[in-house]
Amino acid sequence: MVKIYLPSQGAEEWRRLLADPAKHWREGYSAMCLAKCWENAIGLPPEIARLLTSVGPSAELLVALPEHKVPLPGSNRGDSQNDLFALARAGDHTVAVTIEGKVDEPFDQPLGLWLANASNGKRKRLAFICDLLGLTQPLPERIRYQLLHRTASAVIEARRFKTDAAAMIVHSFSSTRRWFEDYAAFVALFAATAEPDQLVCVRPEGAPPLYVGWASGEIHDHKTLKAMDTRP
């Protein structure tokens, strides 16, 4: 894969990067909401900037890469395709941030389903992620696998870019904060408590320190929409 990235000319350019541009690019769904929000912000969206002030003052965006793929060991689907990867500066600290956009879509499969008849590759990948995040198996079956590998991506990229901290942030556009309970269950794995619109350091002694957060974006009414997030 060529590692040359061109400046964006608008939200529509994000569409071609999707795993399924026809299916995933729809008004009111996470891919389009995230693209429009970040493009309109011309920098960090204010709700993201507020969270990153937990790391340091005056948070600013350095670079953002939509649909950023991070290789993981095991399984035939070798990459975690993050909705957005950003390098940000907060005071004297640089932060590697993976962003998971959400409206009504769930966080993919719970571990109990993802591990059903699991291959050796899947088990190898989960062991790698748990070791990276300092988690002990077995994990509760209700934990959403997507949150695990998105957070692992943040740590991997933080080490690759040698940033001062890593962060995984759920950027939600749901008026009811749908699926927050799944995020909270994930945060509880680290003996921490999740709160909306807060960034919590779940591994302060990690290398690098790891943060997770839930940011509330511009609210939309999606009562008639169907959950359809099937991206890897």
Side-chain angles (χ1 to χ4, degrees):
M1 180 178 177
V2 177
K3 296 181 179 179
I4 298 174
Y5 299 92
L6 302 176
S8 169
Q9 298 299 314
E12 186 66 28
E13 293 196 5
W14 297 39
R15 180 176 187 172
R16 63 182 176 82
L17 302 173
L18 296 169
D20 188 336
K23 183 177 181 181
H24 297 148
W25 190 257
R26 292 176 59 184
E27 189 71 43
Y29 284 81
S30 61
M32 188 180 291
C33 285
L34 193 71
K36 289 184 176 181
C37 175
W38 281 73
E39 289 281 352
N40 292 338
I42 314 177
L44 288 172
E47 59 270 21
I48 301 294
R50 282 193 294 269
L51 259 62
L52 291 178
T53 56
S54 296
V55 181
S58 304
E60 64 172 314
L61 178 65
L62 302 177
V63 65
L65 308 177
E67 300 299 328
H68 181 64
K69 296 181 180 180
V70 177
L72 293 172
S75 181
N76 293 328
R77 299 165 68 181
D79 295 335
S80 175
Q81 186 165 336
N82 298 272
D83 293 344
L84 184 70
F85 170 70
L87 289 175
R89 187 174 181 87
D92 294 330
H93 302 283
T94 54
V95 190
V97 188
T98 52
I99 301 290
E100 179 63 24
K102 281 289 174 272
V103 183
D104 286 344
E105 310 95 327
F107 291 106
D108 204 9
Q109 296 178 331
L111 270 181
L113 183 57
W114 187 78
L115 283 172
N117 301 313
S119 64
N120 289 333
K122 275 192 171 184
R123 296 189 181 281
K124 178 181 178 181
R125 172 173 288 198
L126 183 59
F128 169 82
I129 291 173
C130 288
D131 182 65
L132 189 68
L133 300 182
L135 299 173
T136 302
Q137 296 195 67
L139 300 180
E141 291 189 351
R142 68 165 291 193
I143 297 300
R144 297 284 180 161
Y145 169 66
Q146 190 177 70
L147 288 168
L148 288 166
H149 68 86
R150 296 293 194 247
T151 306
S153 293
V155 176
I156 291 169
E157 295 300 75
R159 291 179 178 179
R160 186 161 75 100
F161 288 99
K162 295 186 177 180
T163 64
D164 300 301
M168 189 285 296
I169 297 175
V170 178
H171 199 171
S172 171
F173 301 92
S174 168
S175 59
T176 60
R177 295 196 180 104
R178 196 170 185 193
W179 310 110
F180 180 82
E181 66 277 9
D182 286 333
Y183 166 75
F186 169 72
V187 175
L189 293 177
F190 299 92
T193 301
E195 295 288 345
D197 301 304
Q198 288 190 16
L199 194 68
V200 56
C201 190
V202 293
R203 294 196 72 195
E205 304 302 323
L210 173 62
Y211 295 78
V212 296
W214 178 285
S216 300
E218 182 182 354
I219 301 302
H220 299 269
D221 183 4
H222 302 293
K223 293 180 179 179
T224 62
L225 300 179
K226 297 178 181 179
M228 49 158 283
D229 192 357
T230 57
R231 283 170 288 162

